[in-house]
């Protein structure tokens, strides 16, 4: 048993008894008042609610900053991964597109920017229980009622050590009272790469390579390719392999099919959904016993049951499960795409005339053979989340009093099945490597990885209305255990058991639907910390004033609804990227030392990994939020939020300690970050006869700064991370290229120019600014270069219209205030380095060979070419930092719903046909200038898609 369950039983029991007594006291007092139900003010009916822990609150009286979107809206964007349907629909959520590889195609999500330089993971709940990001990513939009992000202290009041980075709250669909409703949704289509940046063909590669090799030879013209070689490349008789065309197909298939059944009575309601999804890959290979394209097949089932027994018991049984089958060529996908990018077109044809595979020692992994001659790799995943909840209404004790219990069992298992083989590499009839042709062999491990998660929760709550007063409160106890395999556990390694406890409470009160107050707290514990130092207290207070219900605004024709709200509170986060249990003493390998004289023996040495810290604890977030919610003219919905997140106690290695310490410094809670921002959401809706339409917009700005992180001092004060945003890049300020006139007759740099500290330079190398004026270019001249990769501004525009059965919708999303570093895609940006390729940007190189008619000095946009790593040119500088802003058409859909009269004749309640597209257009200077997608800059390309589909209701 993990210690956490034994360390504080008395505190847990006393806290629950005390909080329970407070709730009971409120209930009894309210009952003694014996308020007549006729005195209760009838509230404005509000359909939308702000979801959250314990209970949901009407948007009208909510004090929290919560953004939500329906599963039906997410379904409009056809994508296998749910994260890729979230672009531009939730204010405060930054979604960054990643790889398009089937099965590993998740986008990266951040809630309200970046609040810490430590672990930035948000916490995910599905139907009230915590789960993993991989479980969330492949939920089907068809089974989802809504996805919400909880952003401020009011919304995160009860999450304690799990709330600092925000919470993603998912609610799945449930049945409603009535006859059985059947819905079938089917769609199919194709996907294509958003963009592929192809390298130069053989002729241009060889032409520029001649310049590079000559530059490396002291700028003496010494071509590696002869004129006849170049002519052969030009007329098509030389090797000119387009590896992308050889390996990739023009498109990949996508399809999904879902069927749901819902209905029930007051006593029992049900929702059942079964689904299938297939996401195909781009590789040009067959699918058989020894080959496979990249693909993912998913089978989903969702069963949500609600029942009532007598007037006391209410129960819920929620079971969500799925099977995921992934298959890929038996060659690492990242390595394959890296080879596609860096293998030159002229190295060899995919196969020799006799059909054998080509390859060399320099380029051993023939990209086409990598997908056709090595077999395949497959995994079989099974995921289950089973939630059971029971609620007892204790009105016979006090009207509105209730208790509830819940338990969740979640598990994931993976099995691996591989078919492996190898191939011999030849050029002509001469074997190039030691690899041999082998027969296929099978590997089946019957179980590779797993995790399991058990959660238990119990609550005591009270809800009552009297007169103009509305009161609801709940206290809750949660504990969970989570176990994961070592090789799935990151830096935490063998520390695979996780335990967490949380005692939390929430009280919501409003008077006359005008004045709202809410209190919340969490008393959280984590087994990451030493006994006696595992618990933290996190309080929250929030309030709202609904001005539109005041007499001075109640009959205003301009303002239909206006609410001011504010919140202040704390939360924490107990996960650290660097590992766990920093209060314990650990040892690690510290290299080797020799013993003996003539033939010394090397001995492995171990030493203290770091100084343990018994006071290590979870980082703390203090959040401030002010917001305005309004509705104007009966048509325009407005939400405006401003927030400040002060993060303290970030776990940080204390590099401020001097080296005389003699060992690795301890990890302590000293890091500080400030994160702030503004979010604005507008939505205008109107109807003109049979024509209805809407126009919406979202703008979110976030900015962060590291206030302190105990970093090692830098020679340049402008190169410190402290005082700058997280993720800042530091480098040198480029100042054009060295020219021939910058060197004397002996080829030496002129004495009046600062000396670069990165080795000898030549004409055409990048010149840097000597910022401190010491006549040298070194680390003392480092500055912050460019903006951050993480954007400061996210925005989107959504619009739609409907007319007599036809409907249209569109989402445009973009980011601003963002810089990308071309050195992060070295295979595409650094020509010829490490036997690599050359791309179009290398055409702008600095070159001067007048006898060959080459002189690009006046218009050069790229440094001189070289076949070697250039320590002067290929370092961080303003030269490589490029504008990363973009605008993308994320979704467009056109649909038609058949008339009800026709549907009735066909036995249908409703039938809608649609065609949709995703990621169909990108506007970006990076794409225009360098043919690089601003989000997925390398690797398996992100995808755009076109789909047709139908939704039928019976």
């Amino acid at each position: 048993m993990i210690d956490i369950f034994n360390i504080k039983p008395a505190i847990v029991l006393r806290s629950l008894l005390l909080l329970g007594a407070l709730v009971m006291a409120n209930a009894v007092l309210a009952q003694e008042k014996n308020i007549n139900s006729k005195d209760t003010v009838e509230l404005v009916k509000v359909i939308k609610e702000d979801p959250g822990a314990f209970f949901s609150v009407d948007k009208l009286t909510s004090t929290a900053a919560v953004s939500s979107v329906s599963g039906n809206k997410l379904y409009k964007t056809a994508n296998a991964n749910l994260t890729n349907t979230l672009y531009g629909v939730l204010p405060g959520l930054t979604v960054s597109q990643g790889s398009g590889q089937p099965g590993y195609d998740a986008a990266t999500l951040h809630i309200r920017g970046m609040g810490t330089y430590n672990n930035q993971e948000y916490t995910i709940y599905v139907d009230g229980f915590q789960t993993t990001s991989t479980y969330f990513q492949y939920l089907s939009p068809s089974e989802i009622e809504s996805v919400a992000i909880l952003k401020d202290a009011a919304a995160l009041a009860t999450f304690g050590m799990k709330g600092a980075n925000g919470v993603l709250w998912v609610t799945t669909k449930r049945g409603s009272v009535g006859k059985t409703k059947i819905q079938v949704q089917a769609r199919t289509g194709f996907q294509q790469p958003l963009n592929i940046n192809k390298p130069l063909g053989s002729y241009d590669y060889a032409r520029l390579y001649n310049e590079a090799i000559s530059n490396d030879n002291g700028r003496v013209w010494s071509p590696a390719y002869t004129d006849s070689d170049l002519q052969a490349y030009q007329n098509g008789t030389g090797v000119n392999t387009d590896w992308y065309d050889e390996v990739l197909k023009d498109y990949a298939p996508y399809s999904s099919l879902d069927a749901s059944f819902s209905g029930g009575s007051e006593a029992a309601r049900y929702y059942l959904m079964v689904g299938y999804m297939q996401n195909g890959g781009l590789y040009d290979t067959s699918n058989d016993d020894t080959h496979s394209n990249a693909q993912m097949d998913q089978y989903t089932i969702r069963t949500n049951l609600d029942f009532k027994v007598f007037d006391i018991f209410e129960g819920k049984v929620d079971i969500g499960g799925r099977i995921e089958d992934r298959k890929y060529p038996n060659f690492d996908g990242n390595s394959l795409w890296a080879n596609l990018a860096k293998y030159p077109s002229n190295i060899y044809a995919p196969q020799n005339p006799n059909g054998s595979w080509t390859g060399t020692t320099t380029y051993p992994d023939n990209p086409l053979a990598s997908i056709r001659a090595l077999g395949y790799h497959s995994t079989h995943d099974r995921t289950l989340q089973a939630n059971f909840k029971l609620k007892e209404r204790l009105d016979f004790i006090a009207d509105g009093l209730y208790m509830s219990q819940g338990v969740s069992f979640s598990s994931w298992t993976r099995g691996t099945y591989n078919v492996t083989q190898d191939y011999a590499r030849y050029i002509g009839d001469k074997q190039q490597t030691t690899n041999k042709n082998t027969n296929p062999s099978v590997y089946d491990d019957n179980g590779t990885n797993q995790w399991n998660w058990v959660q238990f929760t119990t609550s005591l709550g009270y809800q009552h209305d009297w007169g103009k007063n509305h009161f609801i409160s709940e206290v809750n106890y949660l504990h969970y255990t989570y176990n994961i395999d070592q090789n799935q556990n990151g830096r935490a390694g063998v520390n695979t058991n996780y335990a967490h406890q949380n005692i939390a409470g929430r009280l919501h009160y409003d008077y006359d639907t005008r004045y709202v107050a809410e209190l919340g707290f969490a008393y959280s514990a984590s087994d990451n910390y030493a006994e006696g130092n595992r618990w933290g207290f996190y309080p929250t207070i929030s309030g709202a004033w609904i001005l539109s219900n005041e007499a001075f605004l109640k009959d205003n024709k301009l303002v239909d609804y206006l609410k001011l709200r504010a919140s202040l509170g704390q939360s924490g986060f107990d996960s650290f990227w660097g590992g766990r249990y920093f209060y314990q003493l650990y040892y690690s390998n510290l290299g080797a030392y020799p013993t003996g004289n003539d033939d010394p023996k090397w001995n492995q040495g171990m030493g203290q990994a770091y100084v343990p810290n018994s006071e290590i604890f979870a980082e703390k977030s203090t959040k401030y939020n002010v917001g305005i919610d309004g509705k104007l003219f009966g048509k325009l919905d407005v939400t405006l939020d401003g927030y400040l997140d002060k993060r303290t106690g970030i776990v940080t290695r204390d590099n401020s300690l001097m080296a005389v310490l003699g060992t690795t410094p301890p990890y302590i809670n000293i890091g500080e970050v400030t994160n702030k921002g503004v979010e604005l959401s507008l939505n205008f809706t109107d109807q003109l006869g049979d024509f209805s339409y809407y126009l919406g917009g979202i703008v979110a700005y976030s900015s962060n700064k590291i206030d302190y992180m105990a970093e090692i001092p830098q020679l340049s004060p402008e190169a410190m991370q402290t005082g700058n945003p997280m993720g800042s890049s530091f480098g040198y300020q480029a100042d054009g290229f060295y020219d021939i006139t910058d060197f004397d007759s002996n080829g030496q740099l002129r004495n009046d120019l600062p000396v670069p500290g990165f080795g000898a330079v030549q004409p055409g190398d990048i010149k840097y600014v000597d910022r401190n004026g010491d006549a040298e270019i070194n680390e003392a001249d480092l500055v912050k270069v460019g903006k951050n990769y993480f954007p400061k501004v996210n925005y989107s525009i959504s619009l739609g219209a409907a007319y007599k059965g036809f409907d249209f919708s569109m989402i445009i999303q973009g980011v601003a205030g963002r810089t990308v570093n071309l050195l992060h895609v070295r295979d595409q940006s650094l020509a010829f380095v490490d036997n690599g390729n050359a791309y179009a940007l290398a055409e702008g190189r600095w070159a001067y060979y007048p006898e060959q008619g080459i002189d690009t000095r006046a218009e050069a946009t790229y440094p001189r070419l070289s076949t070697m790593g250039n320590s002067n040119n290929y370092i961080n500088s303003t030269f490589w930092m490029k504008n990363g802003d973009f605008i993308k058409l994320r979704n467009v859909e056109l649909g038609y719903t058949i008339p009800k009269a026709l549907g009735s004749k066909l036995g249908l309640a409703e039938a809608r046909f649609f065609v949709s597209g995703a990621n169909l257009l990108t506007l970006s200077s990076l794409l225009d200038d360098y043919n690089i997608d601003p989000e997925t800059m390398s690797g398996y390309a992100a995808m755009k898609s076109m789909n047709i589909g139908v939704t039928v209701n019976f």
Side-chain angles (χ1 to χ4, degrees):
M1 182 71 69
I2 297 175
D3 289 346
I4 190 171
F5 296 117
N6 299 320
I7 59 173
K8 295 285 184 180
I11 290 180
V12 172
L13 181 59
R14 287 199 298 266
S15 299
L16 283 174
L17 289 175
L18 175 60
L19 294 167
L22 290 172
V23 173
M24 287 286 290
N26 278 322
V28 172
L29 286 172
Q31 216 178 30
E32 288 178 352
K33 291 178 181 287
N34 195 24
I35 301 295
N36 192 298
S37 61
K38 292 182 180 179
D39 295 332
T40 302
V41 176
E42 186 175 341
L43 300 179
V44 176
K45 295 290 183 181
V46 179
I47 297 176
K48 293 184 178 180
E49 292 183 325
D50 273 350
F54 308 163
F55 50 81
S56 297
V57 177
D58 287 345
K59 281 277 189 184
L60 177 69
T61 58
S62 173
T63 63
V66 176
S67 301
S68 59
V69 61
S70 70
N72 292 339
K73 186 170 183 177
L74 299 181
Y75 184 83
K76 290 178 176 291
T77 300
N79 197 286
N81 196 299
L82 187 64
T83 59
N84 290 313
T85 68
L86 295 173
Y87 299 103
V89 296
L90 290 170
L93 184 68
T94 301
V95 186
S96 304
Q97 192 162 15
S99 169
Q101 178 171 273
Y104 298 98
D105 49 357
T108 302
L109 309 182
H110 289 85
I111 298 175
R112 284 194 161 175
M114 299 167 65
T116 177
Y117 54 77
N118 181 20
N119 194 333
Q120 297 163 8
E121 291 179 355
Y122 48 92
T123 305
I124 304 172
Y125 283 77
V126 175
D127 290 332
F129 290 97
Q130 192 174 342
T131 189
T132 65
S133 60
T134 52
Y135 180 79
F136 163 74
Q137 288 167 14
Y138 289 103
L139 289 173
S140 168
S142 299
E143 64 185 302
I144 292 174
E145 181 66 32
S146 67
V147 174
I149 52 172
L150 315 185
K151 301 182 286 187
D152 73 334
L156 300 168
T158 61
F159 293 96
M161 287 185 185
K162 303 299 179 183
N165 295 333
V167 167
L168 196 151
W169 188 272
V170 181
T171 304
T172 61
K173 292 180 178 178
R174 315 200 71 83
S176 56
V177 175
K179 294 181 179 180
T180 299
K181 298 178 181 178
I182 302 174
Q183 183 181 75
V184 177
Q185 297 185 107
R187 60 186 173 188
T188 186
F190 64 89
Q191 309 168 87
Q192 291 181 303
L194 261 176
N195 180 72
I196 288 181
N197 184 26
K198 289 186 177 183
L200 299 175
S202 294
Y203 171 74
D204 290 319
Y205 171 91
R207 177 174 55 85
L208 296 183
Y209 191 91
N210 282 345
E211 293 182 17
I213 202 72
S214 300
N215 291 336
D216 295 339
N217 194 31
R219 296 187 57 249
V220 176
W221 186 251
S222 45
Y225 294 95
T226 66
D227 290 342
S228 60
D229 292 332
L230 296 175
Q231 186 176 3
Y233 292 142
Q234 267 190 313
N235 63 29
T237 59
V239 175
N240 187 21
T241 304
D242 186 329
W243 289 112
Y244 285 99
D245 279 359
E246 294 289 342
V247 172
L248 305 181
K249 300 189 297 184
D250 292 332
Y251 65 90
Y254 170 82
S255 61
S256 68
L257 175 65
D258 305 302
S260 64
F261 309 82
S262 64
S265 63
E266 292 289 348
R269 293 176 286 120
Y270 60 90
Y271 174 82
L272 169 66
M273 191 278 288
V274 292
Y276 170 73
M277 183 275 297
Q278 183 181 64
N279 190 23
L282 287 169
Y283 302 135
D284 189 8
T285 187
S286 58
N287 291 300
D288 54 36
D289 292 341
T290 58
H291 305 84
S292 180
N293 197 344
Q295 67 180 52
M296 176 180 177
D297 293 274
Q298 177 177 296
Y299 308 85
T300 301
I301 185 168
R302 161 75 54 186
T303 302
N304 290 346
L305 305 176
D306 298 81
F307 59 87
K308 293 182 180 179
V309 180
F310 309 116
D311 292 327
I312 298 178
F313 299 104
E314 296 180 7
K316 294 182 178 181
V317 177
D318 305 338
I319 298 176
R322 63 175 181 259
I323 294 173
E324 298 166 3
D325 290 323
R326 295 171 171 87
K327 294 180 72 175
Y328 308 94
N330 192 33
F331 189 83
D332 178 69
N334 292 329
S335 298
L336 174 61
W337 283 82
N339 290 344
L340 291 175
K342 69 184 181 183
Y343 275 25
S345 302
N346 66 346
I347 54 173
Y348 45 69
Q351 290 179 285
N352 293 296
N354 63 2
S356 62
W357 293 108
T358 50
T360 66
T361 54
T362 304
Y363 305 102
D365 298 314
N366 181 320
L368 186 59
S370 296
I371 67 169
R372 293 187 181 179
L374 294 174
Y376 69 82
H377 166 77
S378 69
T379 59
H380 177 75
D381 293 7
R382 293 175 293 177
T383 308
L384 175 70
Q385 184 190 50
N387 305 333
F388 304 90
K389 298 179 183 178
L390 184 65
K391 180 177 181 179
E392 301 88 22
R393 294 193 175 277
L394 306 179
D395 295 325
F396 58 89
I397 299 176
D399 188 27
L401 184 68
Y402 63 89
M403 292 183 64
S404 65
Q405 305 81 35
V407 62
S408 174
F409 303 95
S410 299
S411 68
W412 168 82
T413 60
R414 164 169 288 182
T416 298
Y417 182 91
N418 295 339
V419 175
T420 63
Q421 59 186 114
D422 200 359
Y423 64 95
R425 280 77 163 167
Y426 288 87
I427 297 296
D429 58 358
K430 186 175 181 181
Q431 189 166 350
Q432 302 292 305
T433 69
T434 58
N435 300 81
K436 297 180 179 180
N437 294 319
T438 63
N439 293 322
S441 61
V442 173
Y443 169 79
D444 187 351
D445 68 0
N446 297 309
T448 311
N449 297 114
Q450 65 176 355
W451 58 254
N452 61 78
W453 204 332
V454 180
Q455 302 172 68
F456 170 77
T457 181
T458 183
S459 300
L460 178 65
Y462 173 68
Q463 180 175 3
H464 196 73
D465 298 340
W466 64 93
K468 298 180 179 181
N469 303 274
H470 175 69
F471 177 86
I472 180 170
S473 63
E474 185 171 320
V475 291
N476 172 274
Y477 169 71
L478 161 75
H479 88 230
Y480 76 57
T481 58
Y482 175 66
N483 179 268
I484 188 171
D485 285 350
Q486 176 182 341
N487 64 356
Q488 296 279 303
N489 203 27
R491 293 290 298 274
V494 298
N495 301 313
T496 60
N497 297 305
Y498 294 77
H500 172 66
Q501 291 189 67
N502 193 55
I503 302 169
R506 184 181 174 194
L507 183 153
H508 177 94
Y509 170 79
D510 73 73
Y511 174 76
D512 198 22
T513 326
R514 288 187 292 162
Y515 312 114
V516 188
E518 188 163 314
L519 299 175
F521 76 92
Y523 187 46
S524 256
S526 170
D527 70 333
N528 285 343
Y529 312 117
E531 186 173 347
N533 189 45
R534 289 176 170 170
W535 291 81
F537 183 71
Y538 305 94
T540 295
I541 184 171
S542 60
W545 179 20
I546 306 172
L547 286 80
S548 53
N549 284 345
E550 297 288 357
F552 60 83
L553 272 182
K554 205 161 192 177
D555 298 321
N556 190 286
K557 295 181 180 180
L558 172 65
V559 179
D560 302 288
Y561 172 61
L562 183 61
K563 177 178 67 177
L564 304 180
R565 50 184 165 77
S567 65
L568 166 63
Q570 293 182 329
S571 55
F573 202 69
D574 67 331
S575 179
F576 176 59
W577 274 335
R580 302 175 70 199
Y581 305 147
F582 290 108
Y583 63 91
Q584 294 183 341
L585 178 59
Y586 280 84
Y587 293 88
S588 63
N589 290 325
L590 296 179
Y593 61 93
T595 56
N597 297 319
D598 298 334
D599 186 16
K601 178 183 178 182
W602 287 90
N603 306 275
Q604 292 294 324
M606 294 191 69
Q608 186 171 308
Y610 48 79
V611 178
N613 175 13
S614 62
E615 300 299 317
I616 199 77
F617 198 63
E619 66 181 73
K620 181 179 289 186
S621 168
T622 302
K623 298 182 187 293
Y624 307 80
N625 193 94
V626 292
I628 301 173
D629 300 315
K631 190 176 186 70
L632 308 177
F633 317 109
K635 300 176 182 180
L636 179 63
D637 291 293
V638 181
T639 297
L640 176 64
D641 276 279
Y643 63 88
L644 175 67
D645 180 0
K646 297 288 289 185
R647 199 69 63 99
T648 56
I650 301 173
V651 178
T652 305
R653 180 173 284 167
D654 189 2
N655 291 309
S656 66
L657 297 175
M658 298 182 66
V660 294
L661 179 67
T663 186
T664 302
Y667 290 95
I668 58 179
N669 296 103
I670 53 174
E672 299 181 6
V673 168
T674 298
N675 181 42
K676 57 187 177 182
V678 178
E679 299 160 359
L680 174 64
S681 175
L682 303 169
N683 193 55
F684 182 84
T685 59
D686 199 7
Q687 183 161 352
L688 304 171
D690 293 329
F691 180 75
S692 60
Y693 65 97
Y694 69 88
L695 176 63
I698 295 173
V699 179
Y701 169 85
S702 65
S703 176
N704 65 74
K705 182 183 71 170
I706 297 173
D707 298 317
Y708 184 70
M709 65 179 303
E711 63 185 306
I712 298 173
Q714 303 296 313
L715 289 177
S716 169
E718 297 182 73
M720 298 288 288
Q721 295 184 67
T722 300
N724 281 301
M726 287 177 285
S728 294
S729 291
F730 301 97
Y732 299 92
Q733 184 178 342
D735 188 26
F737 304 110
Y738 286 108
D739 192 57
I740 292 175
T741 57
D742 293 324
F743 297 82
D744 60 24
S745 58
N746 295 319
Q748 299 299 310
L749 193 65
R750 290 193 343 237
N751 292 331
D752 60 330
L753 294 176
V755 179
F758 321 111
V761 292
Q762 293 185 26
D765 283 334
I766 299 175
K767 185 189 295 186
Y768 301 111
V769 174
D770 178 17
R771 293 186 62 86
N772 67 349
D774 65 354
E776 295 183 5
I777 304 296
N778 53 34
E779 291 182 357
D781 299 301
L782 286 170
V783 295
K784 182 178 181 295
V785 291
K787 302 172 185 176
N788 278 24
Y789 182 84
F790 192 84
K792 280 187 175 293
V793 178
N794 284 267
Y795 59 90
S796 67
I797 298 172
S798 58
L799 56 92
Y803 179 73
K804 292 187 176 181
F806 290 95
D807 63 89
F808 172 81
S809 63
M810 181 168 63
I811 297 176
I812 300 169
Q813 181 260 335
V815 303
R818 175 175 179 262
T819 297
V820 299
N821 189 343
L822 291 184
L823 293 181
H824 292 167
V825 285
R826 298 175 69 90
D827 290 338
Q828 301 174 61
S829 59
L830 304 187
F832 307 120
V833 173
D834 296 329
N835 299 307
N837 228 322
Y839 285 75
L841 79 166
E843 295 271 26
R845 80 288 179 205
W846 189 101
Y848 183 61
Y849 289 98
E851 293 182 4
Q852 283 70 39
I854 301 172
D855 185 358
T856 67
R857 293 176 297 171
E859 65 272 5
T861 57
Y862 188 86
R864 70 175 178 91
L865 299 174
S866 173
T867 63
M868 300 181 290
N870 189 309
S871 57
N872 181 84
N873 294 341
Y874 304 151
I875 56 175
N876 259 11
S877 72
T878 55
F879 178 84
W880 299 105
M881 309 303 290
K882 306 300 177 183
N883 186 344
D885 300 351
F886 64 84
I887 302 173
K888 292 191 175 185
L889 177 58
R890 291 297 188 181
N891 170 259
V892 60
E893 183 176 86
L894 177 65
Y896 176 70
T897 303
I898 66 173
K900 288 187 176 181
L902 176 58
S904 297
K905 292 180 180 179
L906 298 174
L908 307 176
E910 184 179 72
R912 178 177 177 268
F913 300 87
F914 60 88
V915 58
S916 66
N919 288 328
L920 297 183
L921 177 66
T922 300
L923 302 179
S924 160
S925 61
L926 189 72
L927 185 63
D928 292 342
D929 296 341
Y930 303 101
N931 200 31
I932 296 175
D933 182 81
E935 289 186 287
T936 309
M937 298 175 64
S938 62
Y940 198 114
M943 308 298 283
K944 58 185 177 183
S945 66
M946 286 292 299
N947 298 271
I948 59 172
V950 60
T951 299
V952 180
N953 294 319
F954 298 92

